[in-house]
């Protein structure tokens, strides 16, 4: 590891740990993970006694490459983004995610004050974050941390997450072509539901793994 890389990682670590402290102050269970490996191991440990596991479509979770291992463990995996599913089948899986034992997802942005900020098209992901699953684990890479508040978090989502996500999902939005948000009214618009979780939901065991690696979009 070069000195430059070491210093960059150290700087990111300080922000990650500050975010963890803020999340804990806000009532969340928060864990600092030096790398994705620690997040991978944490999820496998927590999944050991579960039966059904829902996935919110997070690229951060995909980056951990945890899905195959959970399948090998014999878990029922509720993945609405599998190829070949009809709309009715996808919606049925989304609804089952609301009552699964463990829900795995990412977050679009995490403020240094310990707030989770997300923008959804349908709302199934954020709905499962708030209420329903017995346990929710949010994976937040260091690239999701913003120094400012909600305004800066939303800017991050619309500048860095929404355009590539729209392109990844083959939606016909202006941002999927230009790479820039134009606050469109496209039928395929994915920025429809903006949520802020500023304290742990009262009836949801919501945990946040803050990882000192860039993860997801």
């Amino acid at each position: 590891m070069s000195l430059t890389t070491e210093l960059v990682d150290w700087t990111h670590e300080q922000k990650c740990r500050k975010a963890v402290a803020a999340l804990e102050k806000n009532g969340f269970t928060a864990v600092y993970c030096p790398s994705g490996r620690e997040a991978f191991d944490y999820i496998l440990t927590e999944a050991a006694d579960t039966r059904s596991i829902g996935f919110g479509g997070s690229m951060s979770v995909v980056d951990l490459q945890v899905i195959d291992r959970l399948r090998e463990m014999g878990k029922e995996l509720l993945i609405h983004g599998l190829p070949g599913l009809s709309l009715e089948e996808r919606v049925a899986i989304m609804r089952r995610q609301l009552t699964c034992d463990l829900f795995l997802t990412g977050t679009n942005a995490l403020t240094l004050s310990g707030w989770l900020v997300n923008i959804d098209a349908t709302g199934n992901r954020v709905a499962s974050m708030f209420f329903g699953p017995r346990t929710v684990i949010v994976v937040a890479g260091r690239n999701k941390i913003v120094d400012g508040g909600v305004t800066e978090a939303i800017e991050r989502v619309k500048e860095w997450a929404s355009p590539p996500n729209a392109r990844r999902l083959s939606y016909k939005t202006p941002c999927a072509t230009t790479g820039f948000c134009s606050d469109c009214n496209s039928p395929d618009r994915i920025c429809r539901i903006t949520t802020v979780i500023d304290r742990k939901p009262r009836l949801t065991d919501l945990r946040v793994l803050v990882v000192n690696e860039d993860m997801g979009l």
Side-chain angles (χ1 to χ4, degrees):
M1 179 184 295
S2 70
L3 178 59
T4 298
T5 300
E6 184 178 344
L7 291 172
V8 168
D9 286 347
W10 175 84
T11 303
H12 281 297
E13 178 182 349
Q14 308 319 304
K15 287 192 175 184
C16 288
R17 291 190 180 279
K18 184 173 181 178
V20 166
L23 286 162
E24 291 176 337
K25 183 178 179 181
N26 292 342
F28 300 95
T29 297
V31 179
Y32 169 70
C33 298
S35 71
R37 181 67 200 188
E38 287 77 14
F40 177 94
D41 291 340
Y42 184 96
I43 290 172
L44 291 189
T45 298
E46 295 305 314
D49 296 327
T50 65
R51 184 180 64 83
S52 58
I53 303 176
F55 294 83
S58 164
M59 295 304 294
S60 296
V61 175
V62 171
D63 285 349
L64 289 178
Q65 299 181 339
V66 72
I67 295 176
D68 288 343
R69 183 69 187 93
L70 292 171
R71 185 177 287 112
E72 292 171 0
M73 293 167 64
K75 305 302 178 181
E76 179 187 15
L77 305 185
L78 303 173
I79 307 174
H80 63 268
L82 292 175
L85 294 176
S86 67
L87 175 59
E88 292 76 13
E89 289 170 328
R90 293 203 309 272
V91 171
I93 293 172
M94 290 176 184
R95 287 177 173 151
R96 290 203 58 209
Q97 289 170 350
L98 292 165
T99 56
C100 63
D101 296 326
L102 173 62
F103 186 71
L104 301 177
T105 185
T107 187
N108 293 137
L110 167 61
T111 71
L112 281 178
S113 58
W115 292 15
L116 302 171
V117 181
N118 288 280
I119 299 180
D120 269 15
T122 304
N124 58 292
R125 174 180 63 122
V126 293
S128 293
M129 293 172 73
F130 300 155
F131 177 78
R134 292 184 181 180
T135 303
V136 177
I137 296 178
V138 176
V139 179
R142 66 191 189 184
N143 52 313
K144 304 299 183 70
I145 299 175
V146 295
D147 293 340
V150 173
T151 298
E152 289 78 11
I154 292 174
E155 288 176 353
R156 186 212 174 270
V157 180
K158 294 195 173 186
E159 289 178 7
W160 295 104
S162 294
N165 270 323
R167 189 173 184 86
R168 173 175 65 89
L169 297 169
S170 299
Y171 288 142
K172 296 180 180 178
T173 59
C175 69
T177 299
T178 67
F180 295 91
C181 175
S182 60
D183 194 20
C184 72
N185 284 314
S186 166
D188 278 354
R189 176 184 171 114
I190 64 173
C191 297
R192 294 177 177 268
I193 303 164
T194 302
T195 61
V196 179
I197 310 178
D198 55 3
R199 296 294 187 277
K200 174 190 172 297
R202 288 190 299 176
L203 299 178
T204 301
D205 180 10
L206 198 164
R207 311 175 189 187
V208 185
L209 307 182
V210 183
V211 184
N212 193 9
E213 287 182 3
D214 290 346
M215 306 194 72
L217 296 170

